Amino acid sequence: MIEVRGIHPRRILTWNRPGIHYAVRIFMGTTMLWVILRKVAGSHAIWAVISLIIVTEPDVTTALATFKSRISNTLLGCAAGLFCLLVAGPHDWMLPVALTVTAAISTWLTKMEVSWRIAPIAAAIIMASGLAAHSKASGLEAAFQRTGEVFLGGATALVVAWALSRFWMPDSTGQKQQSLN
């Protein structure tokens, strides 16, 4: 085998098993999503892929908790963005108001700090869609599309985590040993 910069390929495979496991999960999930959304639905799969990456975990229980948080915050953000868009209309001044209100609600309802960003991002996407098209209907369409893709991406991450957990779990001890060296 060829060594690159003094690193033998076999050493990489044993040294970074969690990283390889993560890369395989991302490859499997992204491939599934791209085929489903691009070929079947004719849609770009970017929000589904982002959700897949966020939810991807080797442990199914952790992936499920992340999935639930992702979905609830996406629904919250879409609902808040739609509410502001439908009540006030597609006006520039509503964007900071919608995002501030959404962030406040998210921090109050969600215990996972890392998830606080998801709701305002979803609200921003909904508001921006309505502002760009000067239409409330565009925001509604964006809300349904985003929520559907986020759900599909998260569900795909769960399926991949479950399938891989049946025959391959990364060795966390290898990761701990490397951090000690």
Side-chain angles (χ1 to χ4, degrees):
M1 293 211 147
I2 299 172
E3 289 191 32
V4 178
R5 294 186 190 169
I7 300 174
H8 195 277
R10 282 194 196 129
R11 183 161 183 217
I12 291 172
L13 291 176
T14 58
W15 172 63
N16 193 10
R17 284 190 183 151
I20 292 167
H21 192 271
Y22 178 70
V24 168
R25 288 191 317 270
I26 296 296
F27 176 78
M28 289 174 62
T30 302
T31 302
M32 290 167 57
L33 288 172
W34 208 258
V35 168
I36 291 168
L37 288 174
R38 190 77 171 146
K39 301 294 182 191
V40 176
S43 169
H44 294 288
I46 193 65
W47 290 111
V49 169
I50 290 169
S51 187
L52 168 93
I53 293 167
I54 290 171
V55 174
T56 293
E57 292 286 340
D59 177 53
V60 179
T61 306
T62 305
L64 183 60
T66 306
F67 174 69
K68 287 178 182 178
S69 176
R70 177 106 171 112
I71 290 297
S72 63
N73 276 289
T74 297
L75 289 172
L76 171 64
C78 288
L82 277 174
F83 178 78
C84 292
L85 191 61
L86 295 175
V87 169
H91 301 289
D92 292 342
W93 61 269
M94 272 309 292
L95 184 62
V97 172
L99 299 184
T100 302
V101 168
T102 305
I105 294 170
S106 179
T107 59
W108 182 60
L109 292 177
T110 306
K111 303 301 180 222
M112 294 173 67
E113 283 187 39
V114 72
S115 297
W116 291 352
R117 293 172 182 88
I118 295 169
I121 289 169
I125 291 166
I126 303 314
M127 291 296 295
S129 297
L131 290 170
H134 303 290
S135 162
K136 294 177 182 179
S138 288
L140 184 62
E141 182 182 335
F144 283 121
Q145 182 176 2
R146 170 153 167 78
T147 303
E149 286 189 10
V150 165
F151 181 82
L152 183 60
T156 302
L158 287 174
V159 167
V160 169
W162 176 82
L164 284 179
S165 73
R166 295 290 173 231
F167 64 90
W168 181 30
M169 287 295 289
D171 181 19
S172 61
T173 57
Q175 189 176 17
K176 289 176 188 172
Q177 288 174 352
Q178 286 300 319
S179 64
L180 294 174
N181 292 334

